[in-house]
């Protein structure tokens, strides 16, 4: 028994491109994301605004194995309560902690970030991406510094 392909595909470059486009569309369907504003949509003037007092902290030079902590302070400068959904670090060596309760307009909050330098050496640049009900929905803060390799210093005698 043989199967017969009932769909007729055009031969040639145009037919091959059409078939490839159809296959790509089937493999990568378009997802409607309500969190992405259309190009013509106006921003919400009442949205919460996450305003950090600093967006970058330089911890300087530390010895390998040290753990450093920094607190990023912020203010909700918008008109509605701010709700932080997540704070994701760029590396497992960096751990952020953020408020789980809404931050009222005009109120302050903090995100504590801890960096563990075990197994790290050289210049370090770690980011924490904060996802909230703001426009845009993500804000990035950075910690950076240099981790000194314990073997690279003068030797005690």
């Amino acid at each position: 028994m043989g199967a017969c392909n009932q769909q007729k595909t055009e031969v040639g470059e145009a037919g091959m491109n059409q078939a490839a486009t159809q296959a790509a569309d089937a493999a990568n369907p378009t997802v409607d994301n309500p969190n992405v504003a259309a190009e013509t949509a106006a921003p919400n003037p009442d949205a919460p605004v996450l305003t950090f007092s600093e967006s970058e902290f330089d911890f300087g030079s530390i010895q390998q194995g040290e753990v450093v902590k920094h607190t990023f302070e912020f203010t909700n400068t918008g008109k509605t309560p701010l709700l932080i959904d997540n704070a994701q670090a760029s590396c497992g060596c960096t751990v952020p902690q953020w408020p789980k309760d809404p931050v009222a307009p005009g109120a302050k909050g903090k995100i504590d970030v801890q960096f563990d330098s075990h197994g790290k050496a050289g210049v370090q640049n770690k980011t924490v991406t904060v996802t909230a009900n703001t426009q845009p929905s993500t804000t990035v803060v950075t910690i950076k510094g240099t981790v000194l390799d314990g073997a690279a210093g003068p030797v005690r005698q």
Side-chain angles (χ1 to χ4, degrees), residues 4-36:
C4 180
N5 185 356
Q6 298 296 325
Q7 289 183 321
K8 186 174 179 181
T9 306
E10 290 183 38
V11 184
E13 188 176 331
M16 292 174 67
N17 287 340
Q18 182 182 9
T21 300
Q22 289 172 349
D25 289 347
N28 300 309
T30 302
V31 177
D32 184 25
N33 184 349
N35 293 325
V36 176

Side-chain angles (χ1 to χ4, degrees), residues 36-107:
V36 176
E39 291 177 18
T40 59
N44 179 359
D46 295 328
V49 178
L50 182 60
T51 305
F52 281 95
S53 58
E54 63 180 340
S55 61
E56 184 175 278
F57 174 72
D58 187 342
F59 58 79
S61 296
I62 60 171
Q63 291 297 320
Q64 189 176 55
E66 284 186 56
V67 176
V68 293
K69 298 177 184 178
H70 182 70
T71 300
F72 287 96
E73 295 182 356
F74 65 87
T75 304
N76 177 3
T77 57
K79 297 180 181 177
T80 56
L82 169 69
L83 184 57
I84 297 175
D85 181 50
N86 192 17
Q88 180 71 42
S90 60
C91 176
C93 61
T94 306
V95 180
Q97 292 183 330
W98 65 94
K100 306 301 189 260
D101 295 326
V103 179

Side-chain angles (χ1 to χ4, degrees), residues 122-147:
V123 175
Q124 302 294 311
N125 189 15
K126 307 300 179 186
T127 61
V128 175
T129 302
V130 181
T131 306
N133 61 338
T134 55
Q135 291 180 347
S137 62
T138 59
T139 306
V140 177
V141 293
T142 305
I143 61 170
K144 65 180 185 174
T146 303
V147 177

